[in-house]
Amino acid sequence: MTGSTPDAGASGTPPEHRDATRLLAAEAAWARAGAGRLVLLRGATGTGRTTVLEATVADAQAHGMRVLRARCSPRDQASPYATVLQLMSPVPEFGDPQFAGDERASAELFRRVLRSYADRAPLLIAVDDVHLADPASHRWLVESARHVDRLRILLVVTERSQYDVDPPAPGLTHTLSPALVRTLTLGPLTANSAAELVSSAHPDAPGPWVEDCVRAGAGNPLLLRALLDDLGAGRHASVPTSSAALYPGAYPAAVSWWLDSAGPATGEVARALAALDEGWDGDVPQAVPSGHDTCPTDELAGVIGELADVDPARVAGWLTAMSGLGVLRPDPDGRPRYAHPLLRDAVLTGVPAARRRAAHAAAAETMQRHGVSPDTVARQLLLSDPVGAPWTAVALQEAASLALRDGRTSDAAAFLRRVLEEPLPDARRQQLLTELGSLEYKAQTTSAGIPRLSEALRLSGAPQDTVRAAVALGTALAGRGRTVAAVDVLRTVEDELTDRPHLIRTLQTASVLLSEQDQSVRKEVYRWLCDAAEHSPELVGTAGHALVVRHAATAGLISAAEAMRRMRALLAQPADPLTEPFLIGTAAAVAQWADELPEAERLVERGLVGQRPDVLHPMHEALVNVRADILSARGEHARLLTDSCPRDRARTGPSNRQAHVLLSLVATGEEARALRLADGFDLRSAPDSWELNRFLYARGVLRAATGDMAGALHDFLECGRRQSAREVVSPVVTPWRTAAAECRIALARPREAIALAEEELRLARVWNTPRTVGRSLRVLAAATGGRRGLELAEEAVRLLRDGPVGTEGELVSALIVRGRGLTAAGERGRARACLREAAERAERLGATRQWALAEEALGESGARRSAPARTGSRSLTTSERRIAELAADGRTNTEIADLLHLARRTVETHLTSSYRKLGIRRRGELPGTLGRTNGK
């Protein structure tokens, strides 16, 4: 071979073409030696048959061969011997033949001329696209091929070999012996070959860009080169997904030609699949049997066959063939999809938008009949115009329910928006608007939530649905700081339901709960509630009486034992389904204050299970807050930090859960993170609410921990002022008096500290739980000092030792105060024992700050300070402790990795390190070494 043949180093020539050209060059050498050859070069549209043929012509001419060539086209079909006439036109002896209707004589004439011409020099006959040759030329080429082996002729013909929906006619070599034919088939480009082509045109292109081009090229040199022409020299930072972004449009033109070459039936099938493919965008793999909830290939073939009015068996074959060529790729559900969104878009180029929407509607209807999953059907309907048939609303609503079940709230909202475009009765439209408005409000990505809920309330529907819409709208308004408007909405609906007392009770109960966000509204609503409960108890209902008990608890008028007795009696009574969530949530809050934490947790879980995820309800947020209160009471800082919610962008103030996160960060010694969180809020502009008061208290704890006692005292006193204005005087919610008293002790103002601690102790004895009384005794002991102070501290320790699970943190603080009192009294031995116990308990709890205070007090007692822990729970890093806490709660490594957005290997590494530091070997030993009881 000479240098004129493209070799392996040819720039921009894929290896598949280079290999074919070398093989053809070898066949030409045999022809020059006198052994004629017929070579059939087959391949799908765009695989480069013409390119290889042109390279073969150039090589033949370079080796002195004469060349006769023809390129067939569809317009030749009506002209007999059109292809042969193209071939013979360069032959000097050839004149225009006289066709007298004798095809045999004409064919013989052509063969004589050809033999005469070939006698003078080796001859290459090159026929491109022989499948388009006119019938007479086709027959002549077949007959000539039978004798070419005795002449110095290389006959090379290219033929399209691609699976089409309409079966093609038999090929050129259909009647020839295989011994007479050398067949070369050009397959699709490999990924490496395609990447080489892209890189040769764009040497500096990044890997992902090259990979994107390769996918859009779908293994087809024609499409890939057209795409590179459109992308130009770096005009696109990324490969577009729409043909409209391409200029001059070589790629969509190439795709259009590729479709036209395949015939109208194949074009319809390709476009039908593209329309379906559009509807699958954003679809999620289904963890169910594919025959029911996905669209497998055989079922997909049936759907497309019905849409395009073709044989499904041919469609199935086409899908398989296109997958083999690389035009289609399977998705996680096994569905064949276009290799790139740009390819899909190019297939649909030129299809009017109205026709595309109609295709999606037709696809959805066909899929519905074939039993495809509602989610897949609904995604087609998202791209269609309203259909107006009852099945559309059913499919979309079922898909929304499935999406909610799987936690895909954005999908659920999209399906519900589409349902509302269909004709619906007002009652059903009201229900859907309530659901959609609730989802959009929670998503915070649109401002449409409240307007939709308002629209729902204006429609006429069942009274229960109207109440649900009103409660949802009230919840949304209160969440935006518009408490007065929220209560007004509920009262307006209440006036329209005078004949339905149970619904009125629901609205009144919701008003009470929502009023918690506004000080003045709260006073008015609770005044009415308490008066009604006393004089007309039948009007209030069980949930209303539960709220009265809660109010008495926060007002310092009732003991924990009495509150729980009343709550349990109310829970035992039959409850209306609409008011039961209020009863359960209120009982959970009171149980948490009463340190009945297991019961509180059961009530929270029961209440959350009963909550609909698609309808706003004030008790959902209340239950979530109680759950955070329970975790904080138990000192489960790792879970609080793990489960902390992102900041609500609609809020101008902090939330209760963020207050607990702040307290946990302080407790675990992460003051820097705590400061960043606290500085993220301007509390001067935050709306008045109980959650602001909680955050003020938490910020005061942070300021005290960082040495800003004056700032901490300001926060505690401001929290107290606000709580008192709300008639919340009991320390069960925020023990601001003892916190302020500790600041005054640090500021050397013991008299003021004693007054605050004594007042809190008085209120704590009314509620009478170990936590509240023990905390008040401990702070009063620190403020009083001396022998009396030591007695108070010892009383606090005794009380908290006998306290329920979850009061260990308060016991550690009481032990520290008692140890300091013993040190001051000169009883250093007893002091050290007391403080070592405090340090050990704090270490088990992961309470870094309390451990540091205990160690500091030990130093003051004359004990040698402990070195920084190398082993034990105190030696764990924050990440190690958080992961260990989750593992102790029974979570698997995979669940922990998903929860914390870590690699599973990272979780395993942290746990291995934790086991070593804790001196344990098994996961089951974690709760004990971390100071947990039964995972709590």
Side-chain angles (χ1 to χ4, degrees), residues 18 43 113 232 272 279 309 441 444 446 486 512 519 561 650 692 714 868 908 932 936:
R18 297 198 292 265
V113 173
D309 193 23
Y441 174 85
Q444 305 170 28
T446 173
V512 174
Q519 174 180 313
L692 170 61
H714 173 272
E908 293 169 350
R932 311 287 291 280
K936 303 298 183 187

Side-chain angles (χ1 to χ4, degrees), residues 334-416:
R335 296 175 299 202
R337 302 187 64 177
Y338 282 94
H340 193 277
L342 179 63
L343 177 57
R344 179 187 69 199
D345 183 77
V347 169
L348 289 170
T349 296
V351 179
R355 183 182 168 194
R356 288 167 74 163
R357 291 194 297 270
H360 288 298
E365 185 173 6
T366 303
M367 287 179 165
Q368 177 81 355
R369 286 199 302 272
H370 281 255
V372 178
S373 73
D375 190 271
T376 303
V377 173
R379 290 186 184 281
Q380 296 297 327
L381 290 172
L382 289 178
L383 300 171
S384 76
D385 288 327
V387 176
W391 65 266
T392 57
V394 172
L396 287 161
Q397 291 171 64
E398 287 181 2
S401 298
L402 290 172
L404 280 174
R405 183 198 66 186
D406 297 338
R408 295 179 286 116
T409 54
S410 61
D411 286 346
F415 296 145
L416 291 176

Side-chain angles (χ1 to χ4, degrees), residues 62-113:
H63 284 83
M65 295 181 74
R66 293 183 176 181
V67 176
L68 299 180
R69 59 199 302 186
R71 179 167 295 162
C72 308
S73 70
R75 63 176 177 269
D76 296 339
Q77 297 292 314
S79 302
Y81 289 112
T83 300
V84 176
L85 292 174
Q86 278 191 69
L87 287 173
M88 296 299 184
S89 60
V91 180
E93 299 91 333
F94 180 70
D96 290 337
Q98 297 299 316
F99 297 108
D102 188 350
E103 183 178 316
R104 183 183 295 255
S106 299
E108 184 57 35
L109 170 64
F110 293 142
R111 274 191 287 276
R112 284 199 306 270
V113 173

Side-chain angles (χ1 to χ4, degrees), residues 293-373:
D293 285 302
T294 61
C295 199
T297 302
D298 55 347
E299 197 168 89
L300 177 62
V303 172
I304 295 175
E306 189 170 335
L307 288 172
D309 193 23
V310 297
D311 182 1
R314 297 295 299 177
V315 175
W318 182 83
L319 293 172
T320 300
M322 293 305 102
S323 298
L325 289 174
V327 173
L328 305 178
R329 293 187 180 188
D331 70 1
D333 276 336
R335 296 175 299 202
R337 302 187 64 177
Y338 282 94
H340 193 277
L342 179 63
L343 177 57
R344 179 187 69 199
D345 183 77
V347 169
L348 289 170
T349 296
V351 179
R355 183 182 168 194
R356 288 167 74 163
R357 291 194 297 270
H360 288 298
E365 185 173 6
T366 303
M367 287 179 165
Q368 177 81 355
R369 286 199 302 272
H370 281 255
V372 178
S373 73

Side-chain angles (χ1 to χ4, degrees), residues 522-825:
R522 182 183 188 277
K523 281 185 177 180
E524 176 192 349
V525 170
Y526 269 103
R527 192 175 297 116
W528 169 85
L529 178 66
C530 293
D531 183 68
E534 182 179 355
H535 297 99
S536 304
E538 72 283 355
L539 298 179
V540 174
T542 54
H545 283 289
L547 287 167
V548 170
V549 173
R550 191 182 76 163
H551 179 264
T554 58
L557 303 175
I558 192 174
S559 70
E562 177 63 15
M564 288 305 300
R565 185 190 67 77
R566 294 187 189 178
M567 279 296 179
R568 287 169 181 143
L570 291 169
L571 287 167
Q573 296 180 24
D576 178 77
L578 287 176
T579 58
E580 186 176 27
F582 297 100
L583 171 62
I584 293 172
T586 304
V590 173
Q592 183 267 314
W593 293 336
D595 279 333
E596 300 281 356
L597 300 186
E599 184 170 355
E601 193 164 44
R602 286 194 296 271
L603 287 166
V604 166
E605 295 309 315
R606 175 183 166 189
L608 288 174
V609 166
Q611 288 286 307
R612 285 182 56 176
D614 56 340
V615 176
L616 276 177
H617 196 285
M619 194 45 73
H620 179 271
E621 188 68 17
L623 287 165
V624 171
N625 279 321
V626 174
R627 184 163 60 187
D629 295 342
I630 293 169
L631 293 175
S632 183
R634 285 186 172 139
E636 295 192 38
H637 307 301
R639 284 186 61 186
L640 276 166
L641 295 175
T642 300
D643 298 340
S644 61
C645 59
R647 179 170 177 175
D648 184 340
R649 286 173 291 176
R651 281 181 173 271
T652 55
S655 69
N656 174 59
R657 280 174 287 171
Q658 286 162 335
H660 282 307
V661 169
L662 196 60
L663 291 171
S664 291
L665 289 172
V666 174
T668 54
E670 296 192 55
E671 286 88 355
R673 282 181 61 192
L675 286 168
R676 288 195 297 272
L677 174 59
D679 290 344
F681 294 98
D682 182 1
L683 301 190
R684 294 169 300 180
S685 60
D688 179 41
S689 73
W690 67 271
E691 292 184 280
L692 170 61
N693 301 345
R694 283 278 183 94
F695 199 82
L696 273 170
Y697 174 82
R699 192 178 71 173
V701 172
L702 169 62
R703 285 178 165 177
T706 54
D708 180 10
M709 290 302 172
L713 180 61
H714 173 272
D715 281 348
F716 293 137
L717 294 177
E718 179 62 14
C719 170
R721 183 189 69 78
R722 290 171 176 269
Q723 291 287 71
S724 299
R726 297 168 60 86
E727 299 177 345
V728 178
V729 298
S730 174
V732 296
V733 181
T734 46
W736 62 270
R737 294 178 185 84
T738 47
E742 288 181 302
C743 291
R744 283 180 165 157
I745 293 171
L747 294 170
R749 294 155 64 181
R751 284 178 173 272
E752 297 171 9
I754 290 172
L756 284 168
E758 286 178 339
E759 175 62 12
E760 182 152 314
L761 178 59
R762 182 187 69 79
L763 292 166
R765 290 196 187 281
V766 174
W767 186 243
N768 200 30
T769 58
R771 186 191 303 275
T772 53
V773 176
R775 181 196 301 118
S776 303
L777 286 170
R778 182 250 303 168
V779 176
L780 182 58
T784 302
R787 180 55 57 182
R788 175 58 182 157
L790 187 55
E791 291 172 356
L792 291 169
E794 289 174 345
E795 183 182 353
V797 169
R798 283 196 303 273
L799 186 63
L800 290 165
R801 278 197 196 280
D802 296 332
V805 173
T807 55
E808 289 88 346
E810 285 295 341
L811 175 57
V812 170
S813 294
L815 287 167
I816 292 172
V817 170
R818 179 171 179 260
R820 287 184 183 276
L822 289 169
T823 298

Side-chain angles (χ1 to χ4, degrees), residues 199-370:
S199 297
S200 67
H202 297 272
D204 299 326
W209 192 88
V210 172
E211 184 180 348
D212 231 12
C213 287
V214 170
R215 287 180 55 217
N220 189 297
L222 171 73
L223 301 186
L224 184 55
R225 292 186 189 280
L227 175 63
L228 294 175
D229 287 344
D230 279 341
L231 294 177
R235 286 199 301 267
H236 294 273
S238 61
V239 177
T241 58
S242 169
S243 297
L246 298 176
Y247 181 81
Y251 181 81
V255 172
S256 178
W257 183 77
W258 176 79
L259 286 173
D260 290 344
S261 300
T266 300
E268 284 301 308
V269 167
R271 293 182 181 97
L273 175 62
L276 293 175
D277 196 336
E278 271 191 321
W280 292 330
D281 279 351
D283 205 354
V284 294
Q286 304 288 330
V288 290
S290 62
H292 298 282
D293 285 302
T294 61
C295 199
T297 302
D298 55 347
E299 197 168 89
L300 177 62
V303 172
I304 295 175
E306 189 170 335
L307 288 172
D309 193 23
V310 297
D311 182 1
R314 297 295 299 177
V315 175
W318 182 83
L319 293 172
T320 300
M322 293 305 102
S323 298
L325 289 174
V327 173
L328 305 178
R329 293 187 180 188
D331 70 1
D333 276 336
R335 296 175 299 202
R337 302 187 64 177
Y338 282 94
H340 193 277
L342 179 63
L343 177 57
R344 179 187 69 199
D345 183 77
V347 169
L348 289 170
T349 296
V351 179
R355 183 182 168 194
R356 288 167 74 163
R357 291 194 297 270
H360 288 298
E365 185 173 6
T366 303
M367 287 179 165
Q368 177 81 355
R369 286 199 302 272
H370 281 255

Side-chain angles (χ1 to χ4, degrees), residues 821-844:
L822 289 169
T823 298
E827 300 184 49
R828 292 179 178 271
R830 292 178 63 199
R832 290 169 188 162
C834 184
L835 293 170
R836 286 194 180 101
E837 181 187 355
E840 289 168 1
R841 287 179 176 273
E843 183 177 354
R844 287 198 298 270

